[in-house]
Structures are given as structure tokens and as C-alpha cells.
Amino acid sequence: MKTRGAIVRQAPGKYEVVNLELDDPRQGELRVKLVASGLCHSDDHIATGDIPVGMYPFAGGHEGGGIIDEVGPNTPGFAVGDKVIFSFLPGCGKCRWCATGHQNLCDLGAGLLAGSRWTDPTSYRLHLEDGSPVGQMCGISTFCEYTTVSVDSTIKVPDDTPLEVACLLGCSVGTGWGSAVNTGEVRPGDTVIVQGVGGIGANAVQGAAHAGASNVIAVDPVPFKREAAQTLGATHAVDNMNEATELAKSFTNGQGADVAIVTVGIMKGEIVAEAFASIRKQGTVVVTGLGDLTDVGIPVPLGELTLFEKKIKGSLFGSSNPTADIPKLLDLYRTGHLKLDELVTTRYGLDDVARGYEDMHAGKNIRGVIVY
């Protein structure tokens, strides 16, 4: 069938909306009509070239939800009309990582940026009108009106799920919330610093508050984001790490934060070092943000790493198991314990993708959402 989607033809580049040809679903696949898609910074990293992909053109979008339009042959468990949310990380359910409760590290993730099907590097589901293949971001490309995806990336949700906000569960909410609750293991009474409170950091604030942290210090240079963080559970909001570190020490008899979560838009080693300096002995730095994937090095004192037993941990999708955690987070939203509506600053049409990213860079959005 024909559809429309936002692609980048090269990097650096900008998203442009074009007409596309979409293949019908095969066994183990679904065709989904998108309802909404979040504008995540990771897709902007694709456009800037910070995150290289396997091919161009490349159709963006990895945080979305929609309604099943067609089910592939011999594909049980799904029906036309079902509402679904995508997990940007697929789960095969069979590899070592899925089998040990680390679905976010599923071996299928090795092919997320190739653009093709993970089981066949020569097989594509999107094409330009001239027949040229188009890569799919994370195998789903939620910046398309319709998309064909694997069931490994799809989680069925109740029919009354409001996908315009619940689409955020496919990346930003689970990534931020899990960075605090799962990776950071925030405990009641902790002092937590969240460095960068955009779409991911705002949910790290929520996660830290849910876990019972006594002090949640949000750090961001943008006043609007600091104000938003305080409506989501931050007890304090400052514009720089020096002030955040001194605040954390004032709450802990000079020791420092228990956990520092780094969710800035463009990650640098120096930023991780600031977080490292802010934590106490045996404290934890959680590194969630992304930047140039070729950057190497974190300038931290090695003696302090050893003698103070400080920890630096990476966090992918908040160390979550999407098949279980997306429904759990949806339940938290339904019971009033998780805020989703408040995360959506601006709604855009598909043709406004480029403007949405301009607004993100200008610090105008906690989360922009494309509504189809």
C-alpha cells in the first residue's frame, strides 16, 4: 500500500515527508495505522549523524502507538483493530538476555539501525516510489502513517488506551522511569540528581519520586523545564551541576547524592564526570543520554573510583522488560501514579516533524508528539 513518512536522505540532514510504498505483513508481522508518535532526541541524533545507520534514506521514529490494520498469515495473538504500543527494543523471548529478565538487551537489538529486517539484511518493508529500499528506525519507523512491524516489537494494550499520550511508554517514559527505579535502584530516603529534564529526564524525576527519594534535584538551564520538573516530583530545580552538588551535600551531611542520573540531550564525558563528582561513596551514576557514539573517555579520578567504590552504569530503556513494564506503567497512569498527559507540550502533524525538532532544540518541549 501507499503511505507517507518522514525520512532523512543523508546525515547531517533534515526530516522530509515523502510518499512511500509499504509491504504487506508476512508471518510474524503486523501492519499498523499510527495514531501518535513521540519526537525523541534519538531520532534527531540520526539526522545529525551522531548515531550512524546502516543505510539511507532512513525513515525515523521509534516511539509510537497505533491500531492494527492487517495481521500477517499464521500470526496468532493479534487481530485487526487491536491497539498496540511499540517497544523500540524488540524481544525475541529466547536469547540469554530475554531468558534472564533483561529483555532490553535482546540479541535482536544488534540490527536496530540496519534498516532491514533483523533476520534478513536484504529484506525491507518500506520503499520509495521508484522501488529503492528505505531503512526503518528500530524496525518500526513511527514517523509513517502506516508501518509494517514484527510482533517482537509490539505490545497489545486495552481498547480504551489513549494512544496520544500512551505512545510515550514505547521509549521516553520507560527509559527515564527505569533509569531511576531499575538501573539506579533509588530507595526511600535517597537524594537524587537528574541532570537534564527533557523527555527522558522528566520521567527519571517521576521514577525517583515514585521510589521514595526524599530529595529529587532537577538540573536544566531552561527555566520552563525546571518548572515542569517540579510538577512531576522534583523537590528542587537548579540550572547547573555545581549548585545541584552543593544542595545534595547539604542534605547528606556533606556526602553527596546517592544517585545521579544523566539524561542530557547530547552526552559528553565531561558531563558524566560532573555527575561522578556529585555522588557519595558507593554512589551510582546512571548514564542514559546519547551523543556522538564515537566519543571515548570519561575524565574521572581513578583513585576515587576505586577507593570510594563509586559506580558508573549505563542504562538502555531503563533496564526494563518492555513486555511486562509497558503494561505496568500504563496501569500506573490509569491509577493516577504516573503522569503522561503533562509530558506532552505540543502536538504536531506529520508535516511538522522538522519544526518539532527545532522546538526541541529551542527548549520549548518536554515532549512533542505527532498526531496522525
Side-chain angles (χ1 to χ4, degrees):
M1 66 174 294
K2 295 184 182 296
T3 188
R4 298 170 70 244
I7 66 170
V8 287
R9 296 183 186 271
Q10 61 185 20
K14 288 190 175 183
Y15 283 102
E16 59 176 296
V17 178
V18 299
N19 294 322
L20 296 167
E21 298 285 345
L22 178 67
D23 286 1
D24 292 336
R26 305 180 190 181
Q27 183 175 359
E29 295 181 346
L30 310 165
R31 186 170 67 209
V32 177
K33 182 182 187 300
L34 268 294
V35 171
S37 173
L39 292 167
C40 183
H41 203 138
S42 296
D43 295 290
D44 187 63
H45 285 311
I46 300 296
T48 63
D50 284 343
I51 298 179
V53 297
M55 62 170 298
Y56 295 97
F58 198 78
H62 67 279
E63 180 182 77
I67 299 170
I68 294 176
D69 180 68
E70 185 175 341
V71 178
N74 302 313
T75 303
F78 296 90
V80 172
D82 284 346
K83 283 188 175 181
V84 295
I85 292 173
F86 300 123
S87 168
F88 79 93
L89 295 172
C92 70
K94 302 173 184 177
C95 69
R96 170 184 177 179
W97 308 105
C98 287
T100 55
H102 302 90
Q103 186 184 339
N104 63 312
L105 297 175
C106 176
D107 285 340
L108 292 179
L112 287 185
L113 300 177
S116 59
R117 298 287 93 186
W118 16 82
T119 55
D120 184 352
T122 67
S123 184
Y124 300 88
R125 297 295 175 268
L126 279 176
H127 300 81
L128 297 177
E129 290 183 305
D130 66 4
S132 303
V134 174
Q136 281 184 287
M137 174 67 165
C138 296
I140 53 181
S141 288
T142 61
F143 291 172
C144 294
E145 294 172 337
Y146 288 82
T147 188
T148 295
V149 303
S150 169
V151 294
D152 296 328
S153 305
T154 311
I155 290 128
K156 188 161 63 174
V157 294
D159 291 341
D160 61 349
T161 300
L163 291 175
E164 286 191 18
V165 293
C167 66
L168 303 182
L169 298 174
C171 176
S172 60
V173 177
T175 299
W177 191 89
S179 292
V181 176
N182 299 327
T183 315
E185 299 179 325
V186 175
R187 297 178 179 177
D190 276 356
T191 291
V192 179
I193 295 173
V194 179
Q195 192 175 4
V197 286
I200 305 297
N203 290 293
V205 166
Q206 290 206 79
H210 289 166
S214 293
N215 305 294
V216 182
I217 306 167
V219 185
D220 203 289
V222 179
F224 156 66
K225 293 184 179 181
R226 296 198 299 271
E227 293 168 7
Q230 290 177 296
T231 70
L232 295 168
T235 57
H236 301 77
V238 298
D239 65 2
N240 65 86
M241 276 299 288
N242 286 337
E243 188 173 352
T245 301
E246 291 307 310
L247 261 177
K249 289 181 177 179
S250 74
F251 299 139
T252 57
N253 194 30
Q255 296 178 65
D258 299 285
V259 181
I261 305 168
V262 189
T263 51
V264 298
I266 300 177
M267 185 64 66
K268 297 287 185 182
E270 294 78 10
I271 296 173
V272 179
E274 287 182 327
F276 187 85
S278 75
I279 59 173
R280 59 162 170 82
K281 295 176 184 179
Q282 287 197 331
T284 301
V285 174
V286 177
V287 182
T288 304
L290 289 171
D292 185 339
L293 296 189
T294 64
D295 279 355
V296 175
I298 302 172
V300 302
L302 297 182
E304 194 173 326
L305 179 67
T306 301
L307 299 176
F308 288 1
E309 293 191 0
K310 292 185 175 183
K311 298 180 286 291
I312 301 175
K313 300 172 69 174
S315 184
L316 175 62
F317 205 176
S319 304
S320 65
N321 291 290
T323 301
D325 287 345
I326 286 177
K328 178 173 71 176
L329 290 168
L330 184 58
D331 284 343
L332 285 173
Y333 168 69
R334 291 180 180 280
T335 56
H337 294 95
L338 179 71
K339 294 182 178 180
L340 296 182
D341 302 80
E342 293 82 354
L343 299 173
V344 180
T345 313
T346 309
R347 288 171 167 81
Y348 301 90
L350 176 60
D351 293 300
D352 298 321
V353 171
R355 181 166 67 86
Y357 279 114
E358 290 172 1
D359 288 348
M360 183 198 73
H361 284 293
K364 295 180 179 179
N365 287 341
I366 298 298
R367 202 47 144 204
V369 171
I370 300 169
V371 177
Y372 293 93

